[in-house]
Amino acid sequence: MKRILITGGAGFLGSHLCKKLLAEGHEVLCVDNFYTGRRSNIAEFLFEPSFEVLRHDICFPLYVEVDEIYNLACPASPVHYQFDPVQTTKTSVHGAINMLGLAKRIKAKIFQASTSEVYGDPAVHPQTESYWGNVNPVGPRSCYDEGKRCAETLFFDYYRQHKLRIKVARIFNTYGPNMLPDDGRVISNFIVQALKGDDITLFGEGSQTRSFCYVDDLIDGMIRLMNTPDDITGPVNLGNPVENSILEMAGKVIEMTGSSSKIINKPLPEDDPTQRQPDITLARELLKWEPKVKLEDGLTKTIEYFRQLLKDRE
Ligand code: NAD
Ligand code: UDP
């Protein structure tokens, strides 16, 4: 049994990770400032003896004693990370410095939830870990993209300079229960719009692509990476290589919800990447991992989650 700190533990991915690590018998300390996290995401294990939650902003130092740290704190949806871009960069950079400093003091192993956004609008397709990316340093997405890139730099400098045990995962678009209904990300938006009978907001023509991974698969990959031998640092891509256009996603959601919603076109946000697909050769080799959940099965579970959530709110 290990003592494990999860920053951003009340968020979408964090809450699933807390649940899985508790089920494996570990002690979990969830640290969250509840910016996009919700108590309802962690309600089902809030009173378990092995679980503890602390309201704290990782931009400030934290003094705790644990064996492992998963650093997930950071809003992930463009709507939320662009709402207070300075805070987004602070969370990524100051937050990483604080968590790395903590890991150094207590000699803990530390995992970083990095992102496919480090590749920006990629000129290489599919994206391999060796690709350095195509990122606008001064655009509306830069607070997140460059913040996460700087965090990766910090992780590798702590590794080289202080011999820290690091694990860096580049996570591609992931979806599932516990996303916020007003999260702004495409799958949650489309499902909630379809269930309410509202217009489906397609940004641009919908020809841009993404590759969507169901949350259970991703959490499995994260834990596998954390448990690799110390010489494996990453970065490792984690995501589902099945690529879809956003227009296809809109159609699929309408079909699966049986909705009468109409698709309407909205302007494409600035710097919206045109394509994205992970090359997961490295994850297959190092982690013996690949996604198992088919898009239709993951969408069915996610639609059911939002259907229940909207019903409870009536
Ligand atoms: P989320 O917004 O649901 O969760 C982020 C959590 O971090 C929230 O609980 C939020 O309250 C908390 N948080 C934000 N700033 C904080 C701060 N300064 N101090 C403490 N807590 C703070 O997002 P998510 O989808 O669960 O993403 C989790 C991590 O994974 C993020 O770091 C994100 O960049 C990364 N990631 C996610 C995806 C994805 O598709 N979900 C893709 C790539 C990377
Ligand atoms: N998108 C869309 N309608 C929405 C929300 C998003 O067409 O209501 C598009 C968005 O422009 C992008 C894709 O869906 O091309 C994925 O957006 P998301 O915010 O989920 O993730 P990211 O752009 O960060 O990959």
Side-chain angles (χ1 to χ4, degrees):
M1 192 191 74
K2 289 177 280 199
R3 293 166 303 169
I4 302 176
L5 164 62
I6 304 176
T7 75
F12 162 48
L13 296 181
S15 56
H16 286 272
L17 183 61
C18 288
K19 188 172 173 173
K20 184 83 191 280
L21 292 173
L22 284 168
E24 287 184 0
H26 302 295
E27 267 182 29
V28 172
L29 169 59
C30 163
V31 165
D32 205 297
N33 69 351
F34 292 98
Y35 175 55
T36 48
R38 291 290 171 269
R39 249 176 301 239
S40 55
N41 284 347
I42 52 174
E44 67 174 291
F45 40 81
L46 196 54
F47 297 108
E48 281 192 23
S50 313
F51 185 71
E52 202 179 350
V53 60
L54 178 66
R55 180 185 283 267
H56 175 82
D57 184 330
I58 62 157
C59 296
F60 299 93
L62 177 69
Y63 295 90
V64 293
E65 311 298 321
V66 292
D67 305 304
E68 290 181 353
I69 303 169
Y70 285 85
N71 187 36
L72 271 61
C74 187
S77 151
V79 173
H80 289 122
Y81 72 64
Q82 290 173 22
F83 177 75
D84 186 349
V86 173
Q87 172 68 13
T88 300
T89 303
K90 281 185 185 170
T91 294
S92 288
V93 179
H94 290 189
I97 292 171
N98 287 328
M99 292 309 106
L100 286 160
L102 172 66
K104 183 178 160 222
R105 179 178 68 78
I106 61 179
K107 299 183 172 45
K109 184 157 55 165
I110 181 165
F111 173 104
Q112 169 66 356
S114 191
T115 169
S116 53
E117 296 283 336
V118 301
Y119 301 122
D121 191 4
V124 167
H125 194 75
Q127 293 78 56
T128 50
E129 291 83 353
S130 57
Y131 177 51
W132 290 354
N134 175 32
V135 177
N136 177 356
V138 293
R141 295 176 83 101
S142 312
C143 58
Y144 183 76
D145 301 8
E146 297 289 19
K148 289 283 187 179
R149 286 170 68 95
C150 184
E152 286 200 12
T153 307
L154 284 161
F155 267 70
F156 278 86
D157 282 334
Y158 269 79
Y159 166 70
R160 284 184 287 255
Q161 200 175 328
H162 299 300
K163 311 283 173 267
L164 227 64
R165 292 175 295 155
I166 62 159
K167 308 284 172 188
V168 176
R170 291 185 178 153
I171 300 169
F172 284 63
N173 297 63
T174 302
Y175 70 99
N178 293 6
M179 294 181 95
L180 292 173
D182 58 353
D183 183 83
R185 281 180 275 192
V186 68
I187 294 210
S188 46
N189 266 16
F190 284 179
I191 292 177
V192 171
Q193 289 163 345
L195 292 175
K196 286 178 157 177
D198 293 345
D199 291 337
I200 305 283
T201 53
L202 186 69
F203 298 167
E205 297 302 314
S207 56
Q208 68 274 34
T209 67
R210 296 292 186 273
S211 307
F212 294 99
C213 185
Y214 187 66
V215 61
D216 290 355
D217 281 332
L218 187 89
I219 298 297
D220 178 38
M222 286 169 64
I223 295 173
R224 280 173 190 252
L225 177 57
M226 185 61 128
N227 292 337
T228 50
D230 290 349
D231 60 331
I232 293 174
T233 58
V236 179
N237 287 340
L238 291 180
N240 193 322
V242 178
E243 188 182 6
N244 285 97
S245 76
I246 299 302
L247 178 61
E248 283 168 350
M249 279 306 303
K252 208 171 262 299
V253 169
I254 290 175
E255 183 195 315
M256 289 183 66
T257 50
S259 173
S260 55
S261 291
K262 302 270 172 298
I263 297 176
I264 58 159
N265 293 92
K266 295 263 190 183
L268 191 66
E270 197 180 329
D271 291 341
D272 199 284
T274 46
Q275 54 182 1
R276 191 181 286 153
Q277 184 193 31
D279 181 322
I280 60 163
T281 309
L282 195 60
R284 281 198 178 101
E285 276 171 23
L286 293 179
L287 315 179
K288 311 283 172 261
W289 174 88
E290 64 182 358
K292 295 193 177 70
V293 181
K294 291 199 172 60
L295 183 62
E296 284 70 19
D297 297 336
L299 281 177
T300 301
K301 289 185 185 169
T302 312
I303 291 167
E304 188 44 47
Y305 167 78
F306 280 115
R307 210 187 283 281
Q308 190 59 47
L309 193 83
L310 295 179
K311 211 167 127 200
D312 292 346
R313 287 186 174 187
E314 273 171 11

